[in-house]
Amino acid sequence: MTRRSISRRSALAGGVASGLAAIGGCLSEGGILNGSGGSDGPMIGVLEDRSGEFALNGTAKWQASLLAVEELNADGGVLGEELDVYDPDPQSDNQRYQELTREALNREGVDALWAGYSSATREAIRPIINEEEQLYFYTTQYEGGVCDRTTFAMGATARQQLGAVIPYMIEEYGPRIYTIAADYNFGQISGDWVRLLADEHDAEVVGEEFIPLGETDFGSTINAIQGEDPDFIASMLVGDGHANFYEQRADNELDVPMASSTTMAQGYEHRRLDPPALEDMYVGVNYMEELETDRNAAFVDAFYEQFPDADYLNQEAQNNYFSIHMWAEAVEAAGTFDQEAVIAELEDGIEVEAPEGDVELDPETHHMTHHMRIGRADGEHEVTFSDEQYIEPSFLHEVGCNLPDDPEQTQYEPDEFYDEI
């Protein structure tokens, strides 16, 4: 069993102030130092990958979660009680996720759960979460459509991300699109969104490939793209293996610009890969470490003071961070850790001062209205941002998701509602 007690005493010994102040010496890459363990107090579950295929994405999510809990405990805890964290490594394995989710809910009795990077993981554990009526925060950007009474989706949806970057690319580069995406539910549904957005903006998808997770050889894909000669590539590749596409693109002098909802902000390919592999990559994002605001600078400084060996502070990590603070605010407003009471507070509507900017929870859909930006990598992988928009989760409104009035547990897909797909 992995169970962490995050000590206010240890935090204060490190000279912590409340909020985003740095908390020196209390956290390590292995967890919390000087934690007591075995507490009967309130506990959250944080099941995020620190090994396996998605460790690049999940490690920062776990780290930012610990930072948020440490800040809360340094400021007096939640309802005057210190939070514990149950945080074993799921190892990017969906069967292990299911086992750990059952342990978190049935043995540990967590008050709220943060779990999973991939949509496949989310859908592997959501039936368990639904059966136990567990309050669950899913923080990865994703394909969208989950309408579930106990699930709160904190990341931007495909309609928000691709809805920002695809129209931009059509206007800047032209209407011919070639889609490459991971071959599972996230990639396939994201491909549907590209087709819909193309139709809405008088563009066309001239080619489409779905790539198995872990694939590393993209020779045939690059040949197919060269044959179609698109104006830009829509890339929803996922994981460490898929990053090989970008290096092979550069090696083959495939200078077609790219649009993405997954690249850079999650797996920090612009930091890991040598230029010019990511040249002219445009991504629709709500957060990247490189955002230049005072609030984000404080967040980045606090994160790296806690985790000086961390690789990158990614988009999902920020989502974990602000949503833990948001949950704590709802608990304080409810005056109890009771999950139904906390859900009721969240459904009253809540605004959070996130590093990306002020964000607001949409009560009807349990999704966030995000600050979406276009991030672009140049030939040296320097990132700049443009075209900021505040975009609500419109797709679920269009399909009639209203969880306070109709507490369902489903996922809507765009091909069920749009003839264009």
Side-chain angles (χ1 to χ4, degrees), residues 180 218 221-227 229-230 233 245-258 276-277 279:
I180 53 174
F218 291 89
T221 297
I222 289 170
N223 289 336
I225 294 170
Q226 290 170 328
D229 191 26
I233 299 164
F245 169 78
Y246 304 113
E247 294 179 310
Q248 293 170 32
R249 165 187 176 261
D251 291 343
N252 285 274
E253 298 182 349
L254 180 64
D255 59 355
V256 180
M258 300 174 288
E279 183 175 8

Side-chain angles (χ1 to χ4, degrees), residues 204-226:
E204 62 176 327
V205 175
V206 298
E208 185 178 65
E209 290 188 41
F210 296 99
I211 313 295
L213 288 173
E215 180 61 64
T216 60
D217 183 355
F218 291 89
S220 62
T221 297
I222 289 170
N223 289 336
I225 294 170
Q226 290 170 328

Side-chain angles (χ1 to χ4, degrees), residues 60-361:
K61 297 178 71 179
W62 170 70
Q63 291 167 327
S65 300
L66 298 188
L67 175 62
V69 173
E70 190 72 54
E71 289 176 354
L72 290 168
N73 284 345
D75 201 30
V78 181
L79 294 181
E81 297 190 66
E82 292 184 357
L83 286 178
D84 283 352
V85 180
Y86 175 68
D87 64 342
D89 178 9
Q91 303 171 0
S92 306
D93 181 284
N94 285 346
Q95 182 175 345
R96 179 166 166 80
Y97 259 110
Q98 291 173 325
E99 295 168 355
L100 293 176
T101 297
R102 290 189 178 95
E103 289 185 6
L105 275 55
N106 297 324
R107 188 180 70 193
E108 302 299 330
V110 297
D111 295 293
L113 178 68
W114 282 256
Y117 166 71
S118 76
S119 291
T121 294
R122 183 196 67 242
E123 292 308 295
I125 65 174
R126 199 157 62 89
I128 302 168
I129 289 165
N130 288 346
E131 182 179 352
E132 300 296 331
E133 298 185 336
Q134 171 68 44
L135 174 55
Y136 169 47
F137 293 88
Y138 178 66
T139 62
T140 303
Q141 67 80 32
Y142 84 114
E143 69 277 5
V146 171
C147 180
D148 189 315
R149 65 175 303 273
T150 64
T151 296
F152 289 78
M154 299 289 97
T157 65
R159 184 62 151 164
Q160 290 169 304
Q161 291 195 289
L162 295 173
V165 72
I166 295 297
Y168 177 92
M169 297 296 285
I170 292 169
E171 182 175 348
E172 290 292 318
Y173 290 104
R176 291 170 49 80
I177 308 169
Y178 197 104
T179 295
I180 53 174
D183 191 14
Y184 69 106
N185 55 342
F186 163 75
Q188 293 156 359
I189 297 173
S190 294
D192 289 343
W193 281 113
V194 173
R195 288 196 299 274
L196 176 63
L197 290 161
D199 183 81
E200 290 177 351
H201 293 85
D202 297 322
E204 62 176 327
V205 175
V206 298
E208 185 178 65
E209 290 188 41
F210 296 99
I211 313 295
L213 288 173
E215 180 61 64
T216 60
D217 183 355
F218 291 89
S220 62
T221 297
I222 289 170
N223 289 336
I225 294 170
Q226 290 170 328
E228 290 293 345
D229 191 26
D231 294 312
F232 67 94
I233 299 164
S235 169
M236 283 74 67
L237 299 177
V238 170
D240 196 24
H242 282 185
N244 287 276
F245 169 78
Y246 304 113
E247 294 179 310
Q248 293 170 32
R249 165 187 176 261
D251 291 343
N252 285 274
E253 298 182 349
L254 180 64
D255 59 355
V256 180
M258 300 174 288
S260 182
S261 63
T262 55
T263 311
M264 300 201 304
Q266 300 186 62
Y268 52 96
E269 293 86 353
H270 61 301
R271 298 282 188 90
R272 295 190 294 115
L273 306 181
D274 291 334
L278 271 293
E279 183 175 8
D280 285 334
M281 168 62 79
Y282 295 79
V283 58
V285 295
N286 62 292
Y287 179 82
M288 288 180 68
E289 177 182 300
E290 290 83 355
L291 284 176
E292 295 183 352
T293 66
D294 290 344
R295 187 186 295 173
N296 187 50
F299 176 49
V300 172
D301 287 348
F303 180 81
Y304 282 107
E305 185 159 345
Q306 271 316 49
F307 299 101
D309 296 326
D311 293 317
Y312 188 73
L313 180 47
N314 65 14
Q315 181 170 246
E316 287 79 9
Q318 187 241 199
N319 297 341
N320 277 53
Y321 174 82
F322 82 68
S323 59
I324 289 174
H325 279 282
M326 183 180 74
W327 166 81
E329 184 176 336
V331 171
E332 293 283 356
T336 176
F337 291 97
D338 178 78
Q339 294 185 35
E340 289 296 337
V342 173
I343 289 171
E345 284 295 332
L346 291 168
E347 289 182 342
D348 275 347
I350 190 168
E351 186 170 335
V352 184
E353 294 181 354
E356 72 177 76
D358 293 351
V359 293
E360 186 175 359
L361 176 67

